């Protein structure tokens, strides 16, 4: 929905999607706003609770032209990829997987997690790569929770997941200028939004915040106007993600798990996956997600 004000350009309300028994809230891409900085895809996973014997279980699938960033508030995911990495991700840690010219990964859980009641809540986003790096070599980086910088303000505790903000730099670096922050705000607290980045947004995970006298509850992404100072205040205890970065040059196309500036390249990726030309995931090569027919 559009809800312009002095500092707000538009508001995107999440759409709930069922991914086979596991619900996500999709924010980006949105028909009227494809990207915020390099962020081209933004999903809130859960919150969900699984009984013993059930859990998130995403079979091997491919990506090109992007980096995936997984960040959890609750739960655990076991990442495996075609480069041979196997890495559990837990709350506060950051998994950054660069697909570049092509990678395959799965997102499952360990048997220990599956055999107990388990919860899942987090954010998965895709970062579109700059034009000159769309076909870069794939890579994987894991950053433990204790390596992520913390920023404290009166009533606001922040974690700088990636990029630069408020005079600090995360060890998690993208291929283009960006920032990505996790905020825990107590009722009545307030903070500004980094103004040095051209494109900026806030996603309300829990609680509600006020901007320019307007209240925004959970499930809303507030996209801000460029170069305009912004202040966010928490009406109740709230969890908020701040994100954005430099405007990405060139148009990007998305089809399924593929991102590219070239539609021809997307067609090649489709054909390669259908023909089995992507690499396998060591230790998880018996299953895969078929290419969608539509």
């Amino acid at each position: 929905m559009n809800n312009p004000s002095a500092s707000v350009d538009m508001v995107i309300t999440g759409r709930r999607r069922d991914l086979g028994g596991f619900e996500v809230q999709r924010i980006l891409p949105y028909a009227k706003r494809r990207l915020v900085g390099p962020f081209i895809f933004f999903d809130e996973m859960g919150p969900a609770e699984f009984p013993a014997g059930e859990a998130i279980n995403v079979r091997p699938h491919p990506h090109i032209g992007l980096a995936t960033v997984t960040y959890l508030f609750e739960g655990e995911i076991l990442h495996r990829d075609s480069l041979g990495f196997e890495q559990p991700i837990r709350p506060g840690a950051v998994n950054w997987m660069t697909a570049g010219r092509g990678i395959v990964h799965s997102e499952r859980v360990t048997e220990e997690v599956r055999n107990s009641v388990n919860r899942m809540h987090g954010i998965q986003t895709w970062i579109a790569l700059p034009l000159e790096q769309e076909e870069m070599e794939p890579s994987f980086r894991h950053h433990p929770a204790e390596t992520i910088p913390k920023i404290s303000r009166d009533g606001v505790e922040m974690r700088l997941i990636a990029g630069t903000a408020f005079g600090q730099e995360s060890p998690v670096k993208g291929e283009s200028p960006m920032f990505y922050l996790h905020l825990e705000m107590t009722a009545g607290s307030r903070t500004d939004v980094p103004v040095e980045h051209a494109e900026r947004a806030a996603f309300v995970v829990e609680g509600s915040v006020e901007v320019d006298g307007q209240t925004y509850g959970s499930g809303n992404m507030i996209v801000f106007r460029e170069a305009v100072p912004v202040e966010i205040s928490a009406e109740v205890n709230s969890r908020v993600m701040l994100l954005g970065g430099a405007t990405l040059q060139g148009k990007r196309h998305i089809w399924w798990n593929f991102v590219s500036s070239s539609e021809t390249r997307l067609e090649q990726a489709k054909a390669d996956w259908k023909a089995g030309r992507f690499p396998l995931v060591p230790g998880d090569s018996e299953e895969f997600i078929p290419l969608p027919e539509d």
Side-chain angles (χ1 to χ4, degrees):
M1 69 178 178
N2 291 314
N3 194 0
S5 69
S7 56
V8 176
D9 182 50
M10 70 166 52
V11 180
I12 303 170
T13 300
R15 295 92 66 201
R16 286 286 177 184
R17 301 279 182 88
D18 188 333
L19 301 184
F22 179 65
E23 194 172 75
V24 302
Q25 184 160 222
R26 179 136 316 151
I27 312 299
L28 294 174
Y30 177 61
K32 296 180 180 179
R33 184 80 191 210
R34 306 294 287 176
L35 298 104
V36 177
F39 290 81
I40 196 167
F41 178 95
F42 192 100
D43 262 7
E44 179 186 8
M45 306 179 292
E49 182 170 291
F50 299 94
E54 296 181 19
I56 186 172
N57 188 33
V58 182
R59 293 167 290 163
H61 58 281
H63 291 285
I64 66 164
L66 56 88
T68 66
V69 185
T70 306
Y71 184 83
L72 299 180
F73 308 119
E74 291 182 273
E76 180 179 313
I77 294 175
L78 180 63
H79 163 96
R80 291 191 183 100
D81 64 43
S82 53
L83 298 177
F85 288 97
E86 181 174 319
Q87 176 64 57
I89 180 169
R90 300 182 178 96
V94 180
N95 266 18
W96 184 291
M97 185 186 75
T98 301
R101 61 180 174 79
I103 200 168
V104 180
H105 76 137
S106 62
E107 296 156 296
R108 307 196 192 248
V109 296
T110 63
E111 285 302 309
E112 181 182 4
V113 171
R114 179 180 297 278
N115 291 334
S116 62
V117 175
N118 60 96
R119 289 183 57 81
M120 175 62 62
H121 190 199
I123 304 289
Q124 185 167 83
T125 187
W126 298 351
I127 309 297
L129 299 175
L131 291 172
E132 65 276 10
Q133 291 170 294
E134 285 187 297
E135 297 295 320
M136 68 187 294
E137 288 296 311
S139 62
F140 174 79
R141 289 171 282 165
H142 176 77
H143 300 268
E146 58 270 20
T147 67
I148 304 304
K150 296 179 181 179
I151 304 169
S152 295
R153 294 186 167 188
D154 188 19
V156 183
E157 296 297 325
M158 308 185 195
R159 306 186 78 244
L160 183 54
I161 298 169
T164 59
F166 300 118
Q168 294 211 36
E169 182 175 12
S170 174
V172 187
K173 298 176 177 63
E175 306 303 329
S176 60
M178 63 171 293
F179 76 105
Y180 189 22
L181 287 152
H182 165 198
L183 277 59
E184 296 288 339
M185 306 180 69
T186 58
S189 65
R190 59 188 63 228
T191 184
D192 58 324
V193 176
V195 75
E196 68 269 22
H197 295 279
E199 300 186 11
R200 304 164 297 159
F203 176 68
V204 184
V205 182
E206 296 174 2
S208 62
V209 302
E210 182 182 296
V211 180
D212 293 344
Q214 178 71 40
T215 296
Y216 303 96
S218 61
N220 287 298
M221 177 175 281
I222 313 156
V223 182
F224 303 113
R225 299 186 189 278
E226 186 173 342
V228 175
V230 180
E231 185 176 77
I232 297 175
S233 58
E235 297 189 329
V236 296
N237 291 347
S238 300
R239 175 176 288 162
V240 179
M241 311 300 283
L242 297 182
L243 60 138
T247 302
L248 203 67
Q249 299 304 306
K251 184 178 181 180
R252 295 299 187 280
H253 306 282
I254 300 180
W255 192 89
W256 191 38
N257 299 314
F258 304 137
V259 171
S260 180
S261 60
S262 166
E263 292 185 89
T264 301
R265 180 68 179 92
L266 291 184
E267 292 303 318
Q268 182 62 56
K270 293 180 192 179
D272 287 345
W273 183 245
K274 194 167 186 177
R277 289 190 287 264
F278 273 84
L280 297 175
V281 177
D284 196 353
S285 59
E286 298 301 313
E287 298 181 298
F288 63 93
I289 299 178
L291 189 77
E293 292 301 320
D294 56 353

